[in-house]
Amino acid sequence: MLKDITLGQFFPGDSITHRLDARCKLIIVVLYIAALFTANGYISYALVIAVTALMIAVSHIPLKSLVRGLKPVMVIIIITAILNLFFTTGTPLVKLGPLTLTKEGVVRAVFMVLRITLLIMGTFLLTYTTSPMALTDGMEQLFNPLKKIKVPVHEMSMMMSMALRFIPTLIEETDKIMSAQKARGADFETGNIFQRAKALLPLLVPLFVSAFRRADELATAMESRCYHGGEGRTRMKQLVWAARDTIALLLFVVFLAAVIALRHFGL
Amino acid sequence: MTPIIRAEALQHTYSAGTPFEKVAIDQINLDIEPGQLVGIIGHTGSGKSTFIQHLNGLLKPTSGTVYFDGEDIHRSKEATRDVRFSVGLVFQYPEYQLFEETVYKDIAFGPKNMKLSEKEVDERVKEAAHFVGLSDDLMECSPLELSGGQKRRIAIAGVIAMRPKVLILDEPTAGLDPAGCRDILQNILDYKRETESTVLLVTHSMDDAARLADRLIVFHSGHIAFDGTPPEVFSHTLELLEIGLDVPQAARIAEALRERGVKLPESIYTADQLRDAVLDAWKGAGAC
Ligand SMILES: Nc1ncnc2c1ncn2[C@@H]1O[C@H](COP(=O)(O)OP(=O)(O)O)[C@@H](O)[C@H]1O
Ligand SMILES: [Mg+2]
């Protein structure tokens, strides 16, 4: 159950997507999202879908894993679809009591669902193919200019990489404690909302205790290795910008330009 | 006699359908007779913890069936929950599961979930605390303030308090000092003798396994490599060493002596047996 949370999970591999520089992939995701939100016609959507399919194909990530990533936001997708289906004014198609299904509504609903689905798939493709370490390094370097105006870029990226590092640990720990309490007859699955909230106590208390213990240990471990912030710190794994990164980036710039042009012509 | 626990063609795959797919145990067939102390050994990652979590229904087998007292433990949701009270499982490093304000309340968590009367709960908490040697003045302390060894006892007491017919302990002595290990093992032996329950003990220590168990089950990469009485299992000294396991020190010394041409009988695995065998061999040699 908890194991199904794939948020921010990294699937190690050796595809082109895996080998691209994290900075390049981050910029590409921004371009991709921009294109996604620019598209507003059949042809531009078809183009975005084609590019997404290509991205998935070259990254060797099984479609199943990407679809599973959609599960947590399924509710949002369904609500969006329903709202758009029935609350768009236009040519009526069917009347269901007080609700009217319009032609424009159907089109809007399909577009919105596509947009959310593609958005999630695109961003998941990034986290699936980029190790958390590379991802945070990439972000730190991209946001580096903000250091000039005293934004704690290094600290923020350090916090983010720690959070990413500890998500799986915490999930594992939650699973373990849950099992241990279930072995003593704890019941997390039945009862009304208050009973369930109360039933969580045997899970949350040990989880917090251990999270604080871990934080403490980690701080000690970092300090005993003389960590003192980002000043003058070097990296074991340097990010390297290769020719393929430039090419990939250019391709996506062209892609965004194409979508903007299509929008301009109303396609 | 019907076995109290029977595992049939048990197989478990973690993260099925992802790149992290892992078959943790495969084709496990096993009958456990009531009243035995069964030692489960095998090195890290061999599937011991996965296996024992099937016995009280915490993990559902990918394929295969687990029977408790002759009945499938997954035949209904209620049955699966009830079996948790009959098959008590103490996890590895159980001290991290303590959550109540006082030791007493923490031990009472299991019995309370069984919906027992207040009086019955009280009785069981006291009994369980006695079994693991926790004194009365500790009962009102916060479990988080106590030492690691004491926490471990509280966690074990929390399971014993449910009076399970089968008690399973996953490496209960891991990370304790030698005296703490000895005490806890003695507590477990006393508990088994007094309540006549079945005990499954997962352990790393071959010496403990050799000394305590009536039967030994050796796990190796998800399969059962050996299964039998300690003399039977330790007669495979060389194979055990081959799959990267230790054997009791006495068995290793005996093997070394055999290599040097001393004639010793098979299956020596405790210090006492070794002493007698060496004395016999000595006398035999002296007679020539
Ligand atoms: N929750 C889990 N998710 C995925 N794999 C697991 C999980 N728990 C154990 N494993 C894997 O299953 C195998 C058996 O593990 P385990 O049963 O814990 O062995 P042992 O207790 O003998 O050390 C190991 O390879 C381990 O990595
Ligand atoms: Mg284990």
Side-chain angles (χ1 to χ4, degrees), chain A residues 23 44 51 54 90 102 127 141 167 180 233 247:
Chain A
R23 288 165 295 181
S44 44
V51 168
L54 196 69
T102 63
T127 58
Q141 295 195 18
I167 286 173
R233 201 164 165 245
I247 296 169

Side-chain angles (χ1 to χ4, degrees), chain A:
Chain A
M1 45 187 167
L2 280 171
K3 291 270 148 51
D4 296 337
I5 300 175
T6 45
L7 192 80
Q9 193 174 43
F10 171 50
F11 283 58
D14 194 31
S15 71
I16 302 180
T17 325
H18 281 90
R19 273 177 285 156
L20 282 182
D21 188 276
R23 288 165 295 181
C24 171
K25 279 186 273 189
L26 280 163
I27 301 173
I28 284 180
V29 165
V30 173
L31 295 177
Y32 173 82
I33 294 173
L36 189 57
F37 281 86
T38 310
N40 68 341
Y42 295 107
I43 299 184
S44 44
Y45 264 101
L47 181 62
V48 176
I49 292 175
V51 168
T52 313
L54 196 69
M55 279 168 23
I56 296 173
V58 297
S59 59
H60 300 306
I61 296 288
L63 195 58
K64 218 166 56 179
S65 317
L66 281 167
V67 172
R68 217 180 21 204
L70 288 175
K71 243 202 287 184
V73 289
M74 218 48 194
V75 185
I76 300 177
I77 295 181
I78 291 170
I79 292 175
T80 316
I82 293 174
L83 286 180
N84 280 293
L85 271 180
F86 294 107
F87 297 98
T88 311
T89 48
T91 342
L93 280 180
V94 204
K95 256 194 173 346
L96 296 165
L99 298 172
T100 327
L101 195 69
T102 63
K103 184 162 159 264
E104 284 76 3
V106 174
V107 174
R108 276 262 301 263
V110 171
F111 278 2
M112 283 313 285
V113 168
L114 268 178
R115 197 172 268 181
I116 301 176
T117 312
L118 291 172
L119 177 71
I120 290 167
M121 282 190 169
T123 38
F124 270 33
L125 217 45
L126 172 72
T127 58
Y128 281 175
T129 58
T130 318
S131 76
M133 200 63 89
L135 201 59
T136 47
D137 270 6
M139 281 202 189
E140 182 175 350
Q141 295 195 18
L142 285 177
F143 286 116
N144 223 2
L146 294 181
K147 270 188 189 158
K148 293 228 166 60
I149 54 165
K150 297 256 174 342
V151 179
V153 175
H154 169 77
E155 283 70 18
M156 279 159 70
S157 87
M158 179 56 95
M159 268 156 58
M160 204 176 98
S161 58
M162 277 183 205
L164 285 175
R165 156 67 184 77
F166 279 101
I167 286 173
T169 313
L170 279 182
I171 291 178
E172 197 177 298
E173 191 128 323
T174 311
D175 251 3
K176 232 195 232 154
I177 297 172
M178 232 168 158
S179 302
Q181 307 299 27
K182 275 194 201 161
R184 294 202 281 164
D187 182 3
F188 297 107
E189 275 133 38
T190 56
N192 62 35
I193 186 145
F194 293 108
Q195 286 165 328
R196 280 194 196 204
K198 196 161 166 261
L200 281 182
L201 217 58
L203 173 65
L204 293 180
V205 174
L207 202 57
F208 271 93
V209 170
S210 105
F212 280 110
R213 184 176 44 85
R214 266 181 210 289
D216 210 33
E217 283 170 4
L218 185 64
T220 311
M222 285 170 77
E223 270 170 12
S224 58
R225 285 176 227 176
C226 302
Y227 175 78
H228 54 84
E231 212 65 35
R233 201 164 165 245
T234 54
R235 284 166 208 293
M236 189 164 101
K237 280 194 185 151
Q238 298 280 353
L239 294 175
V240 233
W241 189 278
R244 58 169 174 261
D245 296 302
T246 313
I247 296 169
L249 197 57
L250 281 177
L251 285 175
F252 273 83
V253 170
V254 171
F255 165 55
L256 178 60
V259 175
I260 292 173
L262 285 171
R263 184 188 171 102
H264 190 71
F265 296 114
L267 294 167

Side-chain angles (χ1 to χ4, degrees), chain B residues 48-49 92 170-171:
Chain B
K48 309 179 296 288
S49 301
Q92 198 170 0
D170 196 350
E171 306 199 17

Side-chain angles (χ1 to χ4, degrees), chain B residues 207 248-258 262-282:
Chain B
D207 289 286
Q249 269 176 3
R252 229 173 325 153
I253 295 171
E255 190 58 40
L257 287 172
R258 274 185 216 115
V262 181
K263 288 220 168 9
L264 292 178
E266 286 294 307
S267 67
I268 292 171
Y269 59 93
T270 67
D272 289 351
Q273 290 168 345
L274 180 65
R275 179 199 57 209
D276 293 346
V278 168
L279 280 177
D280 283 348
W282 177 270

Side-chain angles (χ1 to χ4, degrees), chain B residues 218-229:
Chain B
V218 182
F219 272 75
H220 178 57
S221 57
H223 297 270
I224 294 179
F226 299 102
D227 178 357
T229 59

Side-chain angles (χ1 to χ4, degrees), chain B residues 2-276:
Chain B
T2 43
I4 190 148
I5 286 179
R6 154 170 283 185
E8 237 174 50
L10 217 54
Q11 200 253 19
H12 191 89
T13 311
Y14 283 112
S15 316
T18 73
F20 305 102
E21 187 170 296
K22 165 96 202 169
V23 180
I25 54 170
D26 198 11
Q27 281 303 317
I28 303 287
N29 290 293
L30 206 59
D31 281 352
I32 289 170
E33 308 298 335
Q36 282 191 326
L37 198 160
V38 181
I40 298 180
I41 48 188
H43 54 77
T44 314
S46 56
K48 309 179 296 288
S49 301
T50 306
F51 171 66
I52 57 171
Q53 285 178 66
H54 281 85
L55 305 184
N56 72 343
L58 277 177
L59 287 179
K60 207 169 175 174
T62 309
S63 68
T65 324
V66 179
Y67 300 93
F68 174 75
D69 251 346
E71 289 190 279
D72 183 355
I73 63 169
H74 286 290
R75 66 188 179 282
S76 73
K77 262 209 158 109
E78 292 72 41
T80 311
R81 205 167 116 82
D82 284 346
V83 87
R84 307 229 167 112
F85 301 125
S86 310
V87 181
L89 174 57
V90 181
F91 274 79
Q92 198 170 0
Y93 299 110
E95 51 273 28
Y96 294 127
Q97 75 195 33
L98 304 177
F99 70 100
E100 280 284 14
E101 299 143 65
T102 68
V103 172
Y104 182 95
K105 281 192 191 168
D106 211 289
I107 300 178
F109 182 66
K112 276 205 179 125
N113 284 329
M114 297 169 83
K115 310 255 181 312
L116 300 172
S117 71
E118 197 113 332
K119 191 167 148 279
E120 180 89 344
V121 170
D122 185 64
E123 213 170 88
R124 289 188 176 205
V125 171
K126 296 214 166 109
E127 178 196 85
H130 161 77
F131 271 127
V132 297
L134 284 170
S135 60
D136 284 342
D137 53 314
L138 284 178
M139 299 307 273
E140 294 307 316
C141 293
S142 159
L144 300 179
E145 293 164 357
L146 302 178
S147 75
Q150 281 168 323
K151 282 186 197 166
R152 178 95 37 115
R153 285 156 198 279
I154 299 167
I156 295 175
V159 173
I160 286 181
M162 303 191 297
R163 288 200 192 142
K165 286 193 186 137
V166 180
L167 177 67
I168 308 176
L169 302 112
D170 196 350
E171 306 199 17
T173 57
L176 291 184
D177 57 282
C181 288
R182 230 178 301 127
D183 287 350
I184 285 206
L185 290 176
Q186 192 56 49
N187 293 151
I188 294 167
L189 279 183
D190 293 344
Y191 170 80
K192 180 185 172 291
R193 203 183 44 241
E194 281 180 45
T195 59
E196 294 175 347
S197 42
T198 313
V199 176
L200 268 67
L201 182 69
V202 177
T203 174
H204 255 123
S205 157
M206 292 297 157
D207 289 286
D208 290 342
R211 195 161 50 86
L212 304 174
D214 304 313
R215 172 181 174 192
L216 279 180
I217 298 168
V218 182
F219 272 75
H220 178 57
S221 57
H223 297 270
I224 294 179
F226 299 102
D227 178 357
T229 59
E232 281 163 11
V233 169
F234 289 125
S235 65
H236 299 281
T237 306
L238 292 176
E239 288 109 307
L240 284 171
L241 289 172
E242 217 161 83
I243 61 174
L245 281 173
D246 232 353
V247 290
Q249 269 176 3
R252 229 173 325 153
I253 295 171
E255 190 58 40
L257 287 172
R258 274 185 216 115
E259 257 171 41
R260 283 169 178 69
V262 181
K263 288 220 168 9
L264 292 178
E266 286 294 307
S267 67
I268 292 171
Y269 59 93
T270 67
D272 289 351
Q273 290 168 345
L274 180 65
R275 179 199 57 209
D276 293 346

